Amino acid sequence: MSVPSSPPAPLHLAVALDGAGQHPAAWREPGARPAELFTARYWAGLAAEAETGLLDFITFEDALALQSSSPGGADERTDRVRGRLDAVLTAARVAPLTRHIGLVPTVTATHTEPFHVSKAIATLDHVSRGRAGLRIQVSGLAHEARHFGRRTAPFSDGELYAEAADHVEVIRRLWDSWEDDAEIRDVATGRFVDREKLHHIDFEGRHFDVRGPSITPRPPQGQPVVGASGAGEASYALIARSAEVGYVAAHDGAGTRAAVAAIRRAREATGLAADPLHLFGELTVFLDADAPAAAARLARLDGLAGLPYGDGDGTGPVFAGSPGQLADLLLERRAAGLSGFLLRPGVIAHDLPAITRSLVPELQRRGVFRREYGAHTLRGLLGLERPANRYARPAA
């Protein structure tokens, strides 16, 4: 008698939001609304569209300097979007207008203080009722370092990612520095907080020396979800040590398998192999009814920009085709060891609705994507347990 096969694990899906889209000419497309890029209404509309598609979370891009095509600093171009709203503040503004979708701002660990980041993300988790995440990135760019004046570049990848790992460790300890029941709020006795349930973290490391505790109570999730991107051994070590979600920008199945294997080896070396770790593939997408239409649209955008998108400029893998073809690709890459995907809409006005209204139904028809939200927190959507507080005494 044959044993029935178990259904495939559900696919996780997120979108990265940045300006009018990933393509430099996206802001010139019909429906792009360039005059609204720095308004709350614009970002609220994008979040609502993503939530309509039942996506796990959205990321908000950010950096420590203006966007530029030049690695040395400002490129003086005036034909591309320049400037961003603060990612954490944008996510906090969107939070009350959404109910289910996770909100994951990008934060550059380099040059920033983990104490400030910890309370900002904890606050986001409180105002979203448990839907906050954090996407950590690093910066070795000299022109970004000059905004702060505390150190000078160059920085080695090893140094940058080791600092980021300490940054995340401090953040996590600060999130735990308040026990879950530290707030008493007893008007009759006049006791608002139990001081014995607030803890100094006393972190002493090469990069940070932080006493704590935080000034913000423990987040509803206990630990908001931390993610980081991988593009080499140093970044893989950060994912392995510090993240619950790792982002992999591989161009093909073989590259995906190699990256997944390297991250898993690094995870095992840290002693955390038994802990859950989602690996998401990163992909910029241009979706149309068929491949020729998508290729033609991309070629037209390239003509406006004056050069091909993804032509050696560090943009990562690019897909142009139909929703069905993209679904095929995602399932192929999932077989290489990924559990989800972070899709970057080439043109948000066109490709975000194509993801939510065409790709998602295609994945649902194949039985690999949810038909309703089944959890109220980001950890819940990703199948992650709420962690115990490291400082709390075990119950008697």
Side-chain angles (χ1 to χ4, degrees), residues 145-363:
R146 286 194 291 269
H147 287 318
F148 300 90
R150 294 186 296 200
R151 347 178 240 182
T152 57
F155 313 108
S156 70
D157 282 352
E159 178 184 0
L160 288 170
Y161 285 105
E163 178 184 49
D166 279 359
H167 196 286
V168 174
E169 179 62 20
V170 172
I171 287 172
R172 289 192 181 281
R173 293 190 191 191
L174 287 167
W175 285 338
D176 277 350
S177 65
W178 289 56
E179 294 185 35
D180 290 321
D181 56 351
E183 296 166 84
I184 301 171
R185 302 173 183 167
D186 189 334
V187 175
T189 64
R191 295 182 70 208
F192 187 87
V193 66
D194 184 343
R195 188 61 186 82
E196 292 186 359
K197 295 188 176 183
L198 271 62
H199 301 276
H200 297 298
I201 68 169
D202 292 326
F203 182 92
E204 295 182 8
R206 176 182 172 190
H207 305 282
F208 304 102
D209 187 349
V210 180
R211 179 162 172 76
S214 176
I215 64 170
T216 305
R218 195 175 193 229
Q221 294 182 101
Q223 295 275 321
V225 177
V226 176
S229 292
E233 293 300 323
S235 60
Y236 295 162
L238 173 63
I239 293 171
R241 173 182 165 186
S242 304
E244 287 115 343
V245 178
Y247 305 102
V248 178
H251 288 266
D252 54 31
T256 299
R257 283 188 291 274
V260 168
I263 293 170
R264 294 296 180 188
R265 285 194 301 271
R267 185 80 161 180
E268 186 173 357
T270 65
L272 299 174
D275 292 352
L277 174 64
H278 284 292
L279 296 179
F280 277 45
E282 292 193 60
L283 192 66
T284 298
V285 298
F286 299 85
L287 292 176
D288 283 279
D290 53 44
R297 180 162 64 95
L298 178 54
R300 181 174 55 76
L301 288 162
D302 288 347
L304 291 172
L307 76 166
Y309 180 77
D311 187 16
D313 57 1
T315 52
V318 179
F319 172 87
S322 70
Q325 291 169 323
L326 180 57
D328 291 339
L329 178 63
L330 299 187
L331 295 180
E332 174 191 320
R333 297 288 174 85
R334 183 175 72 164
L338 301 175
S339 56
F341 295 88
L342 177 64
L343 303 180
R344 299 180 177 276
V347 178
I348 285 178
H350 180 108
D351 296 301
L352 177 58
I355 291 169
T356 58
R357 304 178 195 186
S358 297
L359 174 64
V360 165
E362 177 65 25
L363 294 171

Side-chain angles (χ1 to χ4, degrees), residues 20-107:
Q22 291 298 116
H23 198 285
W27 69 277
R28 302 167 70 176
E29 285 291 274
R33 299 153 58 198
E36 299 180 33
L37 294 183
F38 304 134
T39 66
R41 181 172 62 179
Y42 175 79
W43 292 95
L46 301 187
E49 180 64 39
E51 190 167 64
T52 298
L54 306 176
L55 304 185
D56 290 78
F57 59 88
I58 52 180
T59 67
F60 301 84
E61 297 299 299
D62 211 342
L64 301 179
L66 288 175
Q67 302 94 319
S68 175
S69 304
S70 169
D75 59 10
E76 308 301 332
R77 297 190 71 129
T78 59
D79 63 337
R80 300 186 177 186
V81 171
R82 294 293 181 259
R84 291 185 176 101
L85 299 180
D86 181 88
V88 176
L89 294 179
T90 302
R93 178 64 182 87
V94 166
L97 307 178
T98 54
R99 296 181 58 195
H100 302 287
I101 197 164
L103 306 170
V104 182
T106 298
V107 173

